[in-house]
Amino acid sequence: MSCMDNRPKTIFCDIDGTLVKHVPPNIAQSPDFEMELLDGTIDKLLEWDKLGYNIILTTGRKEGLRDLTEKQLQKAGIFYDQLIMGIGGGVRYLINDNKPEGDNTAFCICIERNKGIQDVNI
Ligand SMILES: [Mg+2]
């Protein structure tokens, strides 16, 4: 997406249904559950990392599930800069001020559940 600011971009990215296959919370939160990577997840994360982007994972999973979630992510090979938990499962908004020049400083991409992020170009 076009934006004049050439500094590394920051990506807030959902986990369940976006990076890994979405399953009901009671299954995803069981101790032995292993995340199933969606097509292109690791390649896209590597691409973003190579570009210096900040990868911030966001999830409605409760903060109390942090240890479990971090282990699941590590086992799946998903790496990131920050993990923000407990943001709820409702609709999400990112609010940011535009530069005086008028360039948009925030964008939103909604993808089909379990389709993967391989076609997302940022
Ligand atoms: Mg999700």
Side-chain angles (χ1 to χ4, degrees):
M1 291 193 176
S2 72
C3 187
M4 293 279 280
D5 192 330
N6 288 322
R7 289 173 296 178
K9 297 177 171 99
T10 298
I11 296 172
F12 295 89
C13 186
D14 179 55
I15 299 172
D16 296 293
T18 303
L19 299 181
V20 300
K21 189 177 175 196
H22 187 278
V23 297
N26 62 313
I27 294 172
Q29 296 166 9
S30 63
D32 297 328
F33 176 76
E34 289 186 23
M35 290 173 163
E36 184 185 329
L37 286 168
L38 295 173
D39 285 347
T41 290
I42 299 299
D43 285 346
K44 189 57 73 171
L45 292 176
L46 286 168
E47 178 190 315
W48 289 342
D49 186 58
K50 205 174 278 183
L51 290 164
Y53 292 2
N54 302 300
I55 301 169
I56 301 176
L57 302 185
T58 55
T59 179
R61 292 181 179 213
K62 301 285 188 199
E63 184 64 41
L65 294 166
R66 178 170 288 273
D67 283 353
L68 178 73
T69 301
E70 286 176 346
K71 283 187 188 110
Q72 290 176 345
L73 289 167
Q74 189 176 21
K75 198 157 192 181
I78 294 173
F79 56 92
Y80 51 91
D81 293 292
Q82 288 187 54
L83 171 61
I84 301 179
M85 305 194 70
I87 64 169
V91 176
R92 295 162 189 180
Y93 291 84
L94 172 64
I95 301 173
N96 210 23
D97 66 311
N98 283 335
K99 302 277 189 262
E101 307 87 71
D103 290 332
N104 280 334
T105 57
F107 299 93
C108 165
I109 301 168
C110 293
I111 58 170
E112 197 178 315
R113 175 170 283 178
N114 295 336
K115 185 173 171 274
I117 57 171
Q118 68 268 48
D119 296 331
V120 174
N121 291 309
I122 298 174

